[in-house]
Amino acid sequence: METHESKNFDFNNIENNFIDKTDNLNGDLTKINKSVIIPYEVISNTFFYPVNETMYEKSYLKSKYYAGYKIKISNNVWILCYLHHFDLHSEELIWTIYDSKNKQVKSNLIIASWNENTEKRINNFDGKNISISVTYKRNFKNGMEGDNRKPVEVVDNFEIDKEYRFIYKKE
């Protein structure tokens, strides 16, 4: 699959680089088409997310960021979903609430991640509330006592508040 270079990226209207998903919230919200790379200057200057580098053999590899979908939550306010691929084998899916009129990030939330010892996934999203499960694989060894067969699962619930921020909901 070929990726679009920065020259095709719409820097003035960042939300135009994301696929509209507003009408289809019942589908798999973790699927991202890795066809549009988000330039590093947008990640660091607009999304205020650090551009990570991983040491591999004798060189540094920069993380890659792929534009995913957008969900409209109000006039000029979007959830922009993008994939952060890092560390050669780890990925996280990030939702950023973005005010396109003021060109301002309101909030960020990692909604899914995959790596060697943890998995984070979306349970439910109704347009305002989101439920996320995190599964931690156990790694007892070298004399530590415990059952590696039973992972620990934690469920976190968030809501989008009036200022368009992700707020943790206490049960």
Side-chain angles (χ1 to χ4, degrees):
M1 180 183 320
E2 194 172 316
T3 56
H4 300 198
E5 297 298 324
S6 298
K7 62 185 174 185
N8 295 331
F9 195 88
D10 185 347
F11 287 89
N12 293 323
N13 300 298
I14 292 172
E15 69 280 3
N16 290 342
N17 299 290
F18 294 76
I19 298 166
D20 194 359
K21 193 173 182 84
T22 303
D23 295 332
N24 185 16
L25 299 180
N26 296 327
D28 187 349
L29 295 174
T30 62
K31 297 289 185 206
I32 296 292
N33 182 355
K34 296 180 183 178
S35 62
V36 178
I37 293 179
I38 303 173
Y40 294 124
E41 54 266 27
V42 172
I43 289 296
S44 61
N45 297 338
T46 303
F47 289 171
F48 300 116
Y49 202 81
V51 176
N52 296 322
E53 293 182 343
T54 300
M55 181 68 156
Y56 180 70
E57 294 182 357
K58 294 185 178 183
S59 62
Y60 286 98
L61 302 175
K62 284 190 175 183
S63 296
K64 291 196 189 272
Y65 302 85
Y66 298 97
Y69 55 83
K70 62 185 176 185
I71 300 170
K72 188 172 189 172
I73 56 176
S74 123
N75 281 345
N76 302 313
V77 180
W78 301 87
I79 293 175
L80 302 179
C81 178
Y82 64 96
L83 181 72
H84 174 204
H85 178 81
F86 61 99
D87 195 5
L88 298 176
H89 56 79
S90 300
E91 293 180 326
E92 58 188 9
L93 205 56
I94 302 168
W95 277 7
T96 295
I97 298 178
Y98 181 70
D99 179 341
S100 60
K101 181 179 178 185
N102 297 312
K103 303 203 181 303
Q104 180 182 38
V105 169
K106 299 289 193 174
S107 190
N108 290 304
L109 181 65
I110 298 172
I111 61 160
S113 63
W114 306 270
N115 66 30
E116 192 174 317
N117 293 314
T118 63
E119 179 183 351
K120 183 183 257 191
R121 66 185 183 284
I122 301 170
N123 296 327
N124 182 38
F125 177 63
D126 65 8
K128 181 177 166 96
N129 298 290
I130 182 170
S131 174
I132 299 171
S133 290
V134 183
T135 304
Y136 300 94
K137 296 178 185 164
R138 296 180 181 218
N139 193 14
F140 294 111
K141 59 184 177 181
N142 298 333
M144 295 172 53
E145 293 184 21
D147 187 351
N148 286 332
R149 295 173 295 168
K150 297 179 183 176
V152 176
E153 184 171 284
V154 177
V155 176
D156 290 321
N157 295 300
F158 298 87
E159 69 179 337
I160 299 172
D161 73 1
K162 293 175 188 170
E163 277 102 41
Y164 303 110
R165 295 176 304 188
F166 293 110
I167 304 296
Y168 180 76
K169 287 174 53 175
K170 295 180 182 175
E171 294 299 317

